């Protein structure tokens, strides 16, 4: 597998992957994270592509099998400025992964994408819906620490916030 920036030509495939992901999440006890709003909207993905923050994961044959948003910098995620029931581990510049999804064609797509993002910056934050047990288990397996709760603009459901640092500091 390999990662590259998404291109406008990838849009239809990215939206197809998100459709698959919504169905998968609903079938695995998480119908509310993306399902009711058909999240993420095409306009957001177009913006991510334009801004260079959308990435695709390709299999060995060069087919797009996964997608995610990634950005790195200082205090880059406004919804992460306020965290309840805990605290972030480290206030240094960090990377953020959002909207990660695979098409289910191969095992390890999520692991590959998250590990790639971590390798880019050595400090990563990610959040997920309380019903998304699959993602919670994945980030814990990859060494992320649950740091608290954040809230997003898309809905009123709290999100579990996780962080991983190259220094390996332990969470609260």
């Amino acid at each position: 597998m390999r990662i590259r920036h998404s291109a406008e030509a990838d849009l239809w495939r990215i939206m197809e992957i998100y459709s698959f992901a919504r169905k998968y999440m609903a079938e695995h006890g998480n119908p509310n994270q993306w399902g009711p709003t058909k999240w993420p909207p095409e306009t957001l993905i177009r913006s991510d592509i334009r801004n260079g923050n959308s990435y695709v994961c390709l299999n060995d044959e060069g087919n797009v099998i996964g997608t995610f948003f990634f950005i790195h910098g200082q205090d880059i995620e406004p919804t992460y400025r306020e965290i309840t029931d805990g605290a972030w581990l480290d206030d240094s510049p960090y990377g953020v992964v959002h909207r990660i999804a695979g098409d289910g064609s191969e095992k390890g797509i999520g692991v590959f994408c998250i590990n790639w993002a971590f390798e880019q910056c050595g400090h990563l934050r990610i959040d997920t819906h309380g019903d998304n047990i699959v993602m919670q288990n994945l980030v814990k397996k990859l060494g992320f620490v649950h740091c608290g709760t954040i809230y997003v603009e898309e809905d009123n459901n709290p999100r579990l916030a996780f962080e991983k640092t190259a220094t390996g500091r332990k969470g609260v």
Side-chain angles (χ1 to χ4, degrees):
M1 284 188 254
R2 67 182 178 90
I3 304 293
R4 69 163 167 79
H5 277 100
S6 303
E8 189 71 28
D10 297 317
L11 183 63
W12 69 270
R13 180 65 178 136
I14 290 170
M15 297 313 294
E16 188 175 63
I17 290 170
Y18 283 130
S19 179
F20 173 85
R22 284 190 294 273
K23 184 176 184 235
Y24 178 89
M25 286 194 290
E27 290 171 353
H28 290 83
N30 184 19
N32 297 314
Q33 185 172 354
W34 289 353
T37 60
K38 301 247 187 274
W39 190 260
E42 185 177 316
T43 54
L44 179 61
I45 303 309
R46 284 184 187 279
S47 174
D48 291 348
I49 292 169
R50 246 188 337 271
N51 294 327
N53 299 320
S54 178
Y55 293 83
V56 289
C57 178
L58 302 128
N59 64 12
D60 293 339
E61 290 76 40
N63 299 315
V64 174
I65 59 172
T67 187
F68 62 100
F69 169 96
F70 172 73
I71 193 169
H72 177 259
Q74 182 68 41
D75 197 27
I76 53 171
E77 176 52 67
T79 60
Y80 288 177
R81 290 182 185 138
E82 186 174 330
I83 185 169
T84 61
D85 304 321
W88 294 114
L89 304 176
D90 184 339
D91 63 359
S92 67
Y94 58 89
V96 175
V97 170
H98 286 312
R99 300 184 285 283
I100 186 167
D103 70 0
S105 65
E106 293 189 28
K107 293 225 181 265
I109 296 169
V111 169
F112 189 82
C113 295
I114 292 172
N115 283 340
W116 177 90
F118 184 74
E119 289 168 10
Q120 306 310 300
C121 59
H123 181 195
L124 203 57
R125 292 179 180 175
I126 195 166
D127 66 88
T128 192
H129 194 282
D131 291 340
N132 196 339
I133 303 302
V134 172
M135 181 58 74
Q136 290 172 49
N137 289 338
L138 174 61
V139 295
K140 288 175 186 174
K141 177 178 124 180
L142 294 176
F144 284 74
V145 175
H146 177 240
C147 293
T149 304
I150 60 105
Y151 293 86
V152 297
E153 295 177 8
E154 294 83 49
D155 59 48
N156 293 324
N157 295 310
R159 298 296 197 273
L160 302 175
F162 294 87
E163 185 172 26
K164 181 178 178 178
T165 66
T167 59
R169 287 191 244 173
K170 295 296 175 199
V172 292

